[in-house]
Amino acid sequence: MPNSMRPPIDYVWEDVSTQLISEFGYSQAEVDTYAGEVENNKEALLKIYNALQLARGFENACNQQYMQGKIRGFMHLDNGQESIPALVDYAIKNGDKKYSYYREHTHAIASGVDPGAVMAELFMKETGTCKGAGGSMHIFDQATYFQGGWALVSEQLPYAAGAAKSILLDRKLAVSDNETFEKQDVAPPVDDDRISIVFVGEGGAQNGRTAELLNSAAKDNLPLLLIVIDNGRAINTFTGDVATNGAVYQQGKHYGVPGLHVDGQDAADVAKGGKAVIDYVRSGKGPAILQVHTYRFNGHSPADPEHERGRKDEKAWARTDQDPIKKFEEKYTANGVFTEDELKAAKKEILADVKAAVKFADESPMPPVELAKELEYPDAPDTDYNLKPAPAYADAVNARTISDDQMSTVTAHIDGLRAKAIAGEISIGDAINLAIHEEMLRDPTTTIHAEDLQAGSSYDIPKLTQQTYGQIRAADEIIDEGHFIGKALGEGMNGYRPIVELMNTNFGIFGMAELSSAGNTYATTGGQFDMPMTIVGAGGTAPNQALGAEHSQPFHAYVMGIPGLKICTASSPDAAYGITKSMIRDNGPCFLFAPVKMMKSSVGKLDLDICAPLNKAVLLHEASAESVEAGNAVTVLTYLHGVNEAQLVTDEIMEEGFDIDLIELRSLKPLDMDTIRKSLERTNKVAILDESTQSGGVGATVSARISEDLFDLLDAPVKRLCMDDAPVPYASTMEVAVVKRGSDLVQGVFDLCTGQF
């Protein structure tokens, strides 16, 4: 053993059974039953052995194919940790939701995913689990509810919580998945005992998401199992060098979440103890932790130099002395359960299956080039959301989940808002709230997450949702946007339509990893999983708003580069209402930004019951024909507070003999180049009043597109009136140097029309 750097724990079954009795409340007789179901059952033991050999054989084949160049990119192998997939094969059911990390090949196969499809995915073939779009770190399979394969360390934790919540939602709403994985008006069976399982390494378990997961799972009594794969290495670094508490299974004590520690070198004990923990979760007693002490025989990836302290010596020793397959073979041939020939025959059969998987992958076709663009969005940008039918079961679900008093209250609330809308007195916040209620009643799979939700948050966007639909559909959340955006992602993968309200959109910075993965999921899964998610909140930077730098960041620009995300803005109640309704009906992730300083002050009428397009800009003011003929007209592109700033100075611009086509960029992505082109064909000049920074801002993208696609229409350079790259100061005397406003637009139009470029 190399310097006793990480000695084996050498547990016997009594060490495990004692924990089950003390931490999980099992009796000795119950513990003995779990032991007997494995030790006295040759068929169960053979099932475990086959899973061990399949995991090892598959990973060995992956390594060989990687070295031959048939598998590319990053690849992470599971050799030495086979007791975990053996447990999955033994105790996890098809309907359970499974969330793994980037070392997930064996977890997928143990969950029932076809090995040939997994290998084909690694070969980047069209017959792969994700049509070659995911690769080694992103294995997904809808039929077995294997939901990743996630590459950012620990990001999968809140997703699994959302998946667990979807199980509770199914039970509460009395709905279930049909054969195409859409919700139907059929209740889950009375004995529904599905759970959500999430895998994480002990290094990744040090991430703060673990604490958030335990808190959420305990608070909502989620049917969730956290499996901690403890190989002692955070990538290759000895975990003890960077983490004080390696006993992750004990971290749940503060939340009332029990944990079990098992020795991964004894696959039978892992199966026995793991099954007991899984049954604890299935019984409805709440979440649990299973920590498996194991050793990884390979580096972090095949390309890993493994220079970290003690890693090479440990790996060589572990392969010799800590091999769970060798231990299984020695134990069960010595006690006479199997002969060596029986195990050799089983191994031979398994390796033949692995060989067939490689052959299938090798002979499969590559995906067509067109597939990449087809997987950008689940719903095309030009979708008419007014044509999408409501679920046929909506009234039935509402009737059994919303009381008469609740329905009376929310109906009166909606009627009041609609009266305001007709009178032209509804605010942006109230318009979004109205859209949310109408859609939550139209489709009971719609849920909402927010901070201060019970109180209506800052702008009444989630007002009366929890009071109407209950905590199960309208959840108050801890103050970490990444956590509840992640939970929404897990719900979205499992047939629900989550809304996330951000009190201020800049707080979404905490959720960049989750937002990025939401945008990628439809494509990464090869189109298997839609990702309906509507994120809405107040943001942007108004002149003289006095909120300081952190509340004045252009988060709308930060997320522009996330693939698969539709991004809209709304400067009026009517735009906010129609866009919100469409986003909730969209099958992909959408983000609506509303102007933080206009949420209550901007009021108007609504085009009730109408969904707005998510790919169109809107011409709010058209320059006169005379100004166009004289060359004194300018196309002005703006959004959020810039719309109000432009409207305030339009008369001043006209008094000086100029005019503008004022276009509100309600869709930042995709960008409506047709509307921009039509205006430029008239004016041949464009100014962008931009609520983001000079470097990397929205205006930079719009300007580049105009220069690339519409250059021949320009008589002058694009005029960008954007925020300076400096942080937005609090003091108004400094803020004017950073944030552009109406007066800057007046000057910009003058400069363009008089040739002062």
Side-chain angles (χ1 to χ4, degrees):
M1 186 168 59
N3 303 320
S4 300
M5 191 171 180
R6 184 171 181 266
I9 57 175
D10 291 330
Y11 279 1
V12 295
W13 174 242
E14 285 71 25
D15 296 310
V16 179
S17 62
T18 298
Q19 296 178 71
L20 290 172
I21 293 169
S22 63
E23 303 301 322
F24 289 84
Y26 281 110
S27 67
Q28 185 64 58
E30 289 170 326
V31 169
D32 291 343
T33 298
Y34 281 107
E37 288 173 350
V38 173
E39 300 295 350
N40 301 328
N41 187 336
K42 186 174 180 178
E43 184 178 345
L45 287 168
L46 184 59
K47 182 178 179 66
I48 292 168
Y49 183 71
N50 285 341
L52 294 171
Q53 286 291 1
L54 180 56
R56 178 71 58 84
F58 189 89
E59 296 294 68
N60 285 343
C62 288
N63 198 34
Q64 293 167 1
Q65 300 305 311
Y66 189 88
M67 297 307 172
Q68 293 177 30
K70 294 182 179 179
I71 298 174
R72 302 180 62 192
F74 297 128
M75 183 180 72
H76 310 86
L77 300 177
D78 206 32
N79 299 59
Q81 305 182 153
E82 291 84 2
S83 60
I84 292 97
L87 168 64
V88 172
D89 185 81
Y90 174 68
I92 298 302
K93 300 179 181 180
N94 183 80
D96 295 331
K97 324 282 187 173
K98 303 100 177 170
Y99 283 78
S100 190
Y101 58 141
Y102 46 79
R103 199 181 307 278
E104 89 282 32
H105 310 159
T106 66
H107 304 158
I109 293 168
S111 298
V113 184
D114 178 64
V118 177
M119 188 65 76
E121 186 62 32
L122 273 61
F123 274 49
M124 59 180 69
K125 297 299 183 71
E126 189 176 15
T127 56
T129 55
C130 304
K131 300 181 180 179
S136 173
M137 297 181 285
H138 302 290
I139 303 297
F140 291 81
D141 184 67
Q142 193 173 38
T144 58
Y145 291 91
F146 191 81
Q147 301 180 345
W150 302 90
L152 302 178
V153 174
S154 302
E155 66 164 311
Q156 70 275 14
L157 298 180
Y159 309 161
K165 183 74 174 290
S166 77
I167 295 172
L168 299 185
L169 281 161
D170 285 354
R171 295 171 185 169
K172 176 66 176 179
L173 274 58
V175 297
S176 60
D177 294 349
N178 63 16
E179 64 278 0
T180 59
F181 302 96
E182 297 175 336
K183 296 303 177 190
Q184 59 181 343
D185 192 20
V186 176
V190 176
D191 61 350
D192 178 31
D193 62 357
R194 291 172 298 156
I195 66 172
S196 178
I197 305 98
V198 60
F199 305 84
V200 68
E202 92 290 346
Q206 303 298 326
N207 190 291
R209 287 178 174 85
T210 302
E212 294 171 344
L213 174 74
L214 293 172
N215 175 73
S216 174
K219 184 69 175 62
D220 289 338
N221 200 44
L222 296 180
L224 185 141
L225 173 63
L226 173 63
I227 298 181
V228 180
I229 302 169
D230 178 10
N231 55 42
R233 295 284 166 173
I235 306 179
N236 281 311
T237 298
F238 178 53
T239 308
D241 288 348
V242 295
T244 300
N245 179 17
V248 182
Y249 70 100
Q250 295 180 347
Q251 290 187 18
K253 288 185 176 180
H254 296 296
Y255 306 95
V257 177
L260 179 70
H261 194 210
V262 294
D263 188 348
Q265 308 325 302
D266 192 325
D269 280 3
V270 172
K272 293 180 289 189
K275 177 68 160 54
V277 173
I278 290 166
D279 286 349
Y280 173 92
V281 179
R282 290 198 192 283
S283 69
K285 294 177 181 176
I289 306 171
L290 175 67
Q291 182 167 350
V292 184
H293 181 100
T294 187
Y295 295 88
R296 174 162 41 86
F297 294 172
N298 298 76
H300 182 64
S301 72
D304 201 323
E306 299 185 273
H307 291 157
E308 286 78 4
R309 181 167 67 92
R311 177 64 184 132
K312 291 183 179 179
D313 289 342
E314 178 191 75
K315 182 174 71 173
W317 162 78
R319 284 176 170 173
T320 301
D321 294 357
Q322 292 295 307
D323 187 336
I325 296 180
K326 288 181 181 178
K327 182 168 182 176
F328 186 98
E329 291 171 339
E330 291 170 357
K331 178 179 178 180
Y332 291 104
T333 55
N335 66 13
V337 175
F338 296 106
T339 66
E340 291 185 6
D341 287 343
E342 284 179 308
L343 294 183
K344 285 180 181 178
K347 179 179 179 180
K348 182 179 180 180
E349 186 175 339
I350 291 296
L351 293 182
D353 291 341
V354 172
K355 185 177 181 180
V358 174
K359 185 175 186 291
F360 172 79
D362 206 22
E363 295 175 351
S364 292
M366 295 289 285
V369 65
E370 297 83 9
L371 183 60
K373 192 63 178 176
E374 292 172 9
L375 292 174
E376 183 177 12
Y377 299 117
D379 288 346
D382 61 353
T383 296
D384 184 349
Y385 298 94
N386 296 289
L387 302 180
K388 285 203 167 193
Y393 54 75
D395 289 343
V397 174
N398 287 337
R400 60 179 173 252
T401 57
I402 303 173
S403 71
D404 290 343
D405 286 345
Q406 289 172 318
M407 186 62 79
S408 176
T409 300
V410 75
T411 300
H413 176 68
I414 290 171
D415 289 345
L417 292 177
R418 290 175 72 91
K420 283 186 176 181
I422 293 170
E425 299 171 352
I426 195 167
S427 67
I428 293 175
D430 282 346
I432 297 173
N433 177 248
L434 174 60
I436 287 172
H437 277 293
E438 289 177 347
E439 294 302 310
M440 291 188 79
L441 289 171
R442 174 186 176 275
D443 185 346
T445 66
T446 307
T447 64
I448 186 167
H449 302 257
E451 298 159 349
D452 267 1
L453 180 139
Q454 293 180 58
S457 192
S458 293
Y459 305 105
D460 287 343
I461 287 174
K463 183 177 180 180
L464 212 62
T465 53
Q466 189 171 103
Q467 292 87 339
T468 302
Y469 313 106
Q471 191 272 341
I472 191 75
R473 288 181 62 195
D476 253 321
E477 296 289 356
I478 62 168
I479 307 174
D480 187 327
E481 286 69 17
H483 173 72
F484 58 88
I485 292 173
K487 286 204 296 188
L489 188 153
E491 289 180 9
M493 290 188 74
N494 286 283
Y496 288 88
R497 295 188 173 276
I499 303 164
V500 173
E501 193 260 353
L502 301 180
M503 190 177 290
N504 185 291
T505 55
N506 289 307
F507 301 162
I509 290 171
F510 281 105
M512 283 297 286
E514 291 78 10
L515 286 170
S516 175
S517 288
N520 288 329
T521 295
Y522 179 70
T524 300
T525 66
Q528 292 181 83
F529 289 92
D530 289 343
M531 184 40 61
M533 180 193 299
T534 300
I535 303 169
V536 60
T541 308
N544 202 31
Q545 69 180 20
L547 294 178
E550 289 195 1
H551 279 62
S552 302
Q553 298 180 78
F555 192 61
H556 46 283
Y558 298 176
V559 299
M560 282 280 284
I562 296 178
L565 194 63
K566 292 176 182 173
I567 305 170
C568 293
T569 70
S571 68
S572 66
D574 188 53
Y577 172 81
I579 290 172
T580 298
K581 291 178 77 71
S582 294
M583 285 187 167
I584 294 171
R585 298 183 190 188
D586 192 276
N587 285 320
C590 303
F591 205 141
L592 174 61
F593 290 84
V596 65
K597 282 296 185 179
M598 298 166 58
M599 295 299 292
K600 296 182 179 179
S601 62
S602 176
V603 297
K605 293 186 176 183
L606 302 184
D607 198 356
L608 290 167
D609 304 315
I610 300 299
C611 295
L614 299 183
N615 67 331
K616 290 296 180 182
V618 176
L619 179 65
L620 299 178
H621 173 85
E622 186 173 24
S624 67
E626 293 79 11
S627 66
V628 171
E629 181 68 24
N632 288 332
V634 174
T635 296
V636 174
L637 307 176
T638 190
Y639 57 95
L640 293 176
H641 304 93
V643 174
N644 184 53
E645 290 295 306
Q647 290 173 330
L648 289 173
V649 298
T650 299
D651 287 346
E652 182 180 347
I653 290 170
M654 294 174 66
E655 288 169 2
E656 294 188 4
F658 309 113
D659 208 344
I660 61 174
D661 272 4
L662 176 58
I663 296 175
E664 180 181 4
L665 298 177
R666 291 184 180 176
S667 174
L668 298 183
K669 197 175 80 168
L671 189 62
D672 182 5
M673 294 301 292
D674 290 340
T675 297
I676 296 172
R677 178 186 292 106
K678 184 177 179 181
S679 177
L680 279 178
E681 286 172 346
R682 302 176 68 243
T683 68
N684 306 115
K685 294 176 285 294
V686 60
I688 305 171
L689 183 54
D690 184 16
E691 216 159 305
S692 59
T693 48
Q694 184 177 37
S695 299
V698 171
T701 297
V702 176
S703 176
R705 288 289 306 276
I706 292 171
S707 297
E708 292 167 0
D709 300 347
L710 307 175
F711 182 78
D712 290 345
L713 297 177
L714 296 176
D715 289 345
V718 175
K719 187 77 170 180
R720 289 175 58 199
L721 305 169
C722 55
M723 292 167 56
D724 190 83
D725 284 346
V728 178
Y730 169 66
S732 57
T733 52
M734 293 188 289
E735 182 262 357
V736 293
V738 178
V739 180
K740 296 299 186 288
R741 58 205 71 215
S743 57
D744 297 297
L745 180 60
V746 173
Q747 184 64 50
V749 170
F750 178 85
D751 290 347
L752 284 169
C753 292
T754 58
Q756 300 183 42
F757 307 147

